[in-house]
Amino acid sequence: MCVCVCFIPTTSYSLSLSFFRHAPLVISASDDCTARLWDARVRGDVSVFEHEFQVTSIAYSLDGNTVYTGGIDNCITSWDVRRKEKIMKMTGHKDTITSISLSPNGTHLLSNSMDGTLQTWDVRPFVTGNQRHDKTFVGGTHNAEKGLLNCSWSSDGSMVTGGSADRVVHIWDVLSTEELYYLPGHAGCVNSVIFHPKENVIASGSSDKSIYVGELAQ
């Protein structure tokens, strides 16, 4: 499927995008305190989710019925796409959330924050209250640049990674939260890290204007 994204002139900035895999829909997070659902078929936004603060990160559920947002209020909020209503709010980070990513099976969210941690959250409907916070991963850092550093899952959901200001690619085991790989080499902040969908390969992009691709040890 070919998805056409239309950019509308605006005075605000879109800080994060997430595509829905089964339809030409895009959800955007913006510094105008909104998240917007865009439909390429009508070439415009079809839903607006109002926030009190700037929205810096966003993710779609697998079924497309829920949108997850994170922002400078340090919280993750889930939204019912059809009703355009808040479902729940998850708290635990102590600084701006820079990225959120849904696990491959759709049951957990991964978040990266300026508080220097990555955290996972159980978003299954039968889980309630404080039980939604699952794991915390430490070792990555943020700095005064306040970049929106990403986070991502391996294709089987067994490992997580995220951008880090210490110029190192960190990879953690999801079950134990142990750091499995500590991969130096970049000369600048690591802004984005992503796993290959099939191979045991990882790619990282940095402020040093380079992209490194490497194979992980078995």
Side-chain angles (χ1 to χ4, degrees):
M1 177 183 294
C2 180
V3 178
C4 175
V5 181
C6 179
F7 294 92
I8 307 299
T10 176
T11 57
S12 62
Y13 293 91
S14 292
L15 304 176
S16 179
L17 295 174
S18 181
F19 290 82
F20 181 46
R21 65 180 66 183
H22 303 302
L25 300 173
V26 182
I27 190 79
S28 63
S30 174
D31 67 352
D32 66 1
C33 303
T34 69
R36 294 175 183 266
L37 180 63
W38 305 83
D39 191 330
R41 294 165 293 193
V42 301
R43 298 187 179 184
D45 62 287
V46 292
S47 296
V48 179
F49 305 92
E50 300 282 352
H51 295 66
E52 295 181 16
F53 302 95
Q54 289 93 332
V55 188
T56 54
S57 53
I58 202 156
Y60 238 132
S61 65
L62 293 184
D63 61 11
N65 294 326
T66 306
V67 165
Y68 304 98
T69 60
I72 67 169
D73 61 352
N74 314 338
C75 300
I76 298 173
T77 305
S78 66
W79 302 80
D80 187 305
V81 172
R82 296 173 180 174
R83 297 181 179 180
K84 303 178 185 178
E85 296 177 347
K86 293 181 183 179
I87 301 173
M88 62 179 175
K89 181 172 286 189
M90 293 172 281
T91 59
H93 278 299
K94 298 178 181 179
D95 206 338
T96 298
I97 296 169
T98 62
S99 178
I100 52 178
S101 177
L102 187 70
S103 63
N105 63 5
T107 63
H108 289 72
L109 276 177
L110 173 67
S111 56
N112 195 349
S113 169
M114 291 182 186
D115 64 12
T117 68
L118 274 72
Q119 298 185 28
T120 53
W121 311 82
D122 193 331
V123 293
R124 290 174 292 183
F126 57 82
V127 179
T128 59
N130 295 331
Q131 296 177 343
R132 291 199 176 277
H133 180 265
D134 186 33
K135 304 283 179 61
T136 299
F137 306 88
V138 297
T141 63
H142 286 249
N143 60 16
E145 295 178 0
K146 301 291 185 180
L148 297 182
L149 309 185
N150 92 317
C151 58
S152 64
W153 300 78
S154 61
S155 60
D156 62 0
S158 66
M159 295 182 290
V160 294
T161 186
S164 183
D166 62 0
R167 309 176 183 180
V168 174
V169 174
H170 302 268
I171 302 175
W172 295 270
D173 177 73
V174 170
L175 185 61
S176 67
T177 70
E178 177 186 357
E179 187 169 11
L180 299 177
Y181 299 93
Y182 180 94
L183 307 173
H186 279 294
C189 175
V190 178
N191 300 310
S192 182
V193 191
I194 191 169
F195 292 92
H196 191 281
K198 296 181 180 180
E199 306 295 334
N200 200 32
V201 171
I202 196 165
S204 57
S206 169
S207 296
D208 64 11
K209 302 180 182 180
S210 70
I211 297 174
Y212 287 0
V213 179
E215 184 174 2
L216 300 176
Q218 296 290 340

